[in-house]
Amino acid sequence: MKRYAIAYALAAGMLLAPLAAGQDPGTEELKLKLPKPMFIGTPTNIKSANLEVITGKPRGPFFVPAGTRLLSLERPVRSSDMQPVIGELDMVVDGEKEGGDGYFVELGPGKQWVQIDLGASHALHAILAWHYHTQARVYRDVIVQVSDDKDFLKGVTTVFNNDHDNTSGLGIGRDKEYVEVAEGRLFDPRGARARYVRLCSSGSTANDLNHYVEVEVYGTPVK
Ligand SMILES: [Ca+2]
Ligand SMILES: [Ca+2]
């Protein structure tokens, strides 16, 4: 076999590699390590004004550009509450996602945020958050923003906002509230470029405190 023939065969083989439904060429499925579910079944007793329809179905595959990797592991974390009620801020990015006591950081009452510094601007392709998944609850006013400005004063892209009545003052959100589950919530930043990722919340259906088990940010370097 001549060299160009081998090259042709390799190229053909790559083109013939099976693509999953809904997958674009040049993408791959985002592989996640998910924690054990802490409750079974579909919660029916949660009342909230802006709640999405609960299906109880798993998320299904999510595709990201080839070469996407986890950027947030053990990166520096800042917060509006630098002295958490329970736990430490570095628990947000320590890779531990299990439910239960000892795995979450608890921030003070009302509106609070955590912010992860990725060290450099990246093209972001997935942001996952686990607030608390030991019991079914809905966190209020969940807003996910990214920016190259550590103070989020300029160049801010809002990835998700379910503050439908603008209690946070960051603008009316069009997204729905959701019930926390073990697979976490995936937010799609659609390639937005940023160094910093900030997540806001304002208590939950359980109490007025704010919790994070883990946040994961996936992306690719900016060339
Ligand atoms: Ca953790
Ligand atoms: Ca609100």
Side-chain angles (χ1 to χ4, degrees):
M1 215 175 191
K2 292 261 184 352
R3 197 171 358 160
Y4 62 80
I6 294 169
Y8 179 79
L10 284 171
M14 285 173 71
L15 289 171
L16 290 172
L19 293 177
Q23 183 182 4
D24 292 328
T27 64
E28 59 194 19
E29 185 182 343
L30 182 64
K31 296 283 189 226
L32 299 167
K33 280 179 73 176
L34 297 178
K36 287 191 299 292
M38 299 289 285
F39 59 91
I40 305 293
T42 304
T44 54
N45 58 343
I46 292 182
K47 296 272 186 293
S48 201
N50 189 33
L51 189 61
E52 69 182 8
V53 175
I54 300 169
T55 67
K57 292 190 180 121
R59 178 168 47 235
F62 184 76
F63 297 98
V64 292
T68 294
R69 63 180 185 83
L70 179 63
L71 306 170
S72 51
L73 187 66
E74 295 177 350
R75 296 299 310 172
V77 178
R78 284 174 60 211
S79 174
S80 53
D81 183 358
M82 290 300 286
Q83 293 181 308
V85 183
I86 298 171
E88 305 294 335
L89 288 173
D90 60 11
M91 295 165 80
V92 176
V93 289
D94 65 358
E96 295 281 358
K97 295 170 239 173
E98 295 302 319
D101 291 342
Y103 289 103
F104 61 85
V105 60
E106 181 175 86
L107 308 176
K111 183 187 170 188
Q112 302 285 355
W113 51 259
V114 295
Q115 180 174 320
I116 302 164
D117 179 0
L118 304 174
S121 199
H122 289 76
L124 305 182
H125 304 303
I127 299 170
L128 284 108
W130 292 257
H131 284 101
Y132 186 90
H133 61 90
T134 303
Q135 57 175 219
R137 51 170 77 167
V138 173
Y139 281 81
R140 309 285 195 197
D141 303 340
V142 173
I143 302 172
V144 181
Q145 294 182 318
V146 303
S147 180
D148 278 329
D149 175 14
K150 68 175 171 37
D151 297 317
F152 280 72
L153 297 174
K154 58 182 192 298
V156 175
T157 299
T158 299
V159 174
F160 183 89
N161 180 352
N162 68 13
D163 181 12
H164 70 289
D165 54 3
N166 197 25
T167 38
S168 289
L170 293 172
I172 290 174
R174 303 289 175 199
D175 297 302
K176 289 293 197 182
E177 293 177 336
Y178 60 91
V179 176
E180 294 285 328
V181 288
E183 69 173 8
R185 188 68 173 195
L186 192 154
F187 308 107
D188 185 358
R190 299 170 182 273
R193 294 181 175 198
R195 171 172 172 175
Y196 302 96
V197 175
R198 182 180 284 199
L199 298 98
C200 306
S201 60
S202 188
S204 74
T205 44
N207 55 55
D208 62 355
L209 300 168
N210 296 275
H211 306 88
Y212 290 88
V213 171
E214 190 78 1
V215 174
E216 291 184 335
V217 181
Y218 292 85
T220 46
V222 176
K223 294 190 182 72

